Amino acid sequence: ETAIKYMTDGCLLKHILGDPNLNKFSVIILDEAHERTLTTDILFGLLKKLFQEKSPNRKEHLKVVIVKVTMDIHLNEMAGDILVFLTDQQRRIFLPPPPGIRKCVISTNISATSLTIDGIRYVVDGGFVKQLNHNPRLGLDILEVVPISKFPYLDPPNERLILEALKQLYQCDAIDRNGHVTRLGLSMVEFPLPPHLTCAVIKAASLDCEDLLLPIAAMLSVENVFIRPVDPEYQKEAEQRHRELAAKAGGFNDFATLAVIFEQCKSSGAPASWCQKHWIHWRCLFSAFRVEAQLRELIRKLKQ
């Protein structure tokens, strides 16, 4: 029987660490390939290498299917609405169009994964996407509007960024002076965190104080947990709730505030209701809980 396994690009990349030749799979389907990320770039490189170097353990060739949205519009197609991705959202998109009228929805690319709109038959992508890029000089992730790359032509990485990345890995003892991956570096690869944060978690584990750091590391690995409403009345209420949480952590440390939010939400009898009351994104907290459990399991294996 055919087994279908759904996973994110990050999970697939982690799977390749244990199964470099993907011997357990006969077909790989990469969806949303036009939305270029660091992970998809690495996956394309590894999959291309698999085609060039056939594994002796494979009984049949690996098949790869690349799925991306089309840029074409046809004027003589059958009835159906059009969805156009641009880089905000309207409520009228869910209303049916009058008879004989074709509805055209202008939307951000969030509609590709987060919304289901009845009647959509054709999709137009403007060729741009909001992408989270790391600025090594500032040490921050910045949301930028960038053009979507056209595969399989991958742009070579900037040499300065490569050198900065190698510098950070060397500072974390993940590589040696010759650029070879160290034993610590091999352990760091298993963690779904940035190198500096992974290094801190492993160091905390060596001192048997990982319980203090794991919740913070998990919270830092997800999106911003604070809800900031647009309405001025609700905005004041949200800010007051956030100040109360910060006061419980001492009022001066963002990391401690994240730890307080994590622990209080987790220990509450109804975490989703707790998040609603304190204007916190429950989805982000739920992801942080899963990351923390994953990190704890990795630490347990590391200590064995």
Side-chain angles (χ1 to χ4, degrees):
E1 295 182 359
T2 301
I4 302 177
K5 191 172 184 178
Y6 295 89
M7 63 180 74
T8 63
D9 51 0
C11 289
L12 179 58
L13 184 59
K14 186 175 181 180
H15 180 89
I16 293 180
L17 293 176
D19 182 18
N21 297 315
L22 294 174
N23 293 317
K24 297 181 180 180
F25 299 92
S26 58
V27 180
I28 299 294
I29 301 177
L30 294 179
D31 195 12
E32 303 291 343
H34 59 285
E35 294 190 4
R36 180 177 176 182
T37 65
L38 176 61
T39 306
T40 54
D41 275 10
I42 296 175
L43 283 175
F44 272 104
L46 294 175
L47 291 174
K48 185 176 182 180
K49 185 178 180 181
L50 284 180
F51 278 107
Q52 296 173 344
E53 303 174 2
K54 183 180 178 181
S55 171
N57 298 326
R58 294 195 64 88
K59 297 181 180 180
E60 57 183 14
H61 288 287
L62 177 68
K63 298 179 181 178
V64 178
V65 180
I66 309 298
V67 182
K68 67 175 184 177
V69 299
T70 179
M71 297 285 288
D72 299 327
I73 300 179
H74 300 281
L75 300 177
N76 300 318
E77 296 290 346
M78 298 174 59
D81 300 326
I82 301 173
L83 174 62
V84 182
F85 293 153
L86 295 178
T87 25
D88 293 311
Q89 198 79 22
Q90 299 184 23
R91 300 176 181 176
R92 298 175 60 189
I93 62 176
F94 299 103
L95 299 177
I101 300 298
R102 193 191 299 273
K103 177 173 62 179
C104 183
V105 180
I106 310 297
S107 169
T108 64
N109 59 356
I110 189 175
S111 299
T113 55
S114 302
L115 290 178
T116 300
I117 306 174
D118 294 336
I120 294 295
R121 295 292 181 272
Y122 316 107
V123 176
V124 180
D125 198 302
F128 293 87
V129 65
K130 285 186 177 180
Q131 181 173 295
L132 200 62
N133 293 328
H134 182 72
N135 188 318
R137 179 174 298 178
L138 299 177
L140 299 172
D141 291 333
I142 299 177
L143 192 64
E144 298 178 325
V145 177
V146 296
I148 296 172
S149 60
K150 297 181 179 180
F151 294 107
Y153 305 102
L154 300 182
D155 300 330
N158 187 288
E159 182 178 357
R160 180 178 61 84
L161 299 181
I162 291 292
L163 293 176
E164 183 65 29
L166 291 174
K167 178 184 176 181
Q168 292 184 15
L169 292 175
Y170 180 73
Q171 291 174 340
C172 293
D173 291 328
I175 59 175
D176 58 22
R177 289 182 176 272
N178 297 319
H180 298 144
V181 180
T182 62
R183 184 177 178 181
L184 175 61
L186 291 175
S187 300
M188 292 174 60
V189 172
E190 298 289 334
F191 287 78
L193 298 173
H196 62 282
L197 198 52
T198 299
C199 191
V201 168
I202 294 178
K203 182 64 176 179
S206 67
L207 300 174
D208 292 325
C209 61
E210 66 270 18
D211 289 344
L212 297 174
L213 186 58
L214 289 184
I216 298 175
M219 293 288 279
L220 291 174
S221 69
V222 299
E223 298 177 9
N224 186 9
V225 299
F226 297 101
I227 297 177
R228 306 190 186 280
V230 179
D231 188 285
E233 181 180 353
Y234 292 124
Q235 190 176 32
K236 292 180 180 179
E237 180 183 346
E239 290 176 352
Q240 177 62 29
R241 295 292 186 181
H242 296 164
R243 281 195 294 267
E244 292 173 358
L245 292 171
K248 293 180 180 179
F252 300 101
N253 193 309
D254 291 340
F255 293 158
T257 301
L258 292 178
V260 166
I261 293 172
F262 183 96
E263 297 297 342
Q264 290 205 358
C265 180
K266 191 173 185 179
S267 61
S268 66
S273 299
W274 186 94
C275 287
Q276 184 178 10
K277 177 182 177 181
H278 293 86
W279 293 90
I280 299 295
H281 285 291
W282 162 236
R283 178 177 59 85
C284 295
L285 259 295
F286 182 74
S287 297
F289 293 157
R290 297 181 62 181
V291 171
E292 192 263 353
Q294 182 182 3
L295 294 177
R296 195 170 295 279
E297 178 63 18
L298 290 172
I299 290 296
R300 185 189 66 80
K301 294 179 179 179
L302 195 63
K303 287 187 173 184
Q304 289 180 348

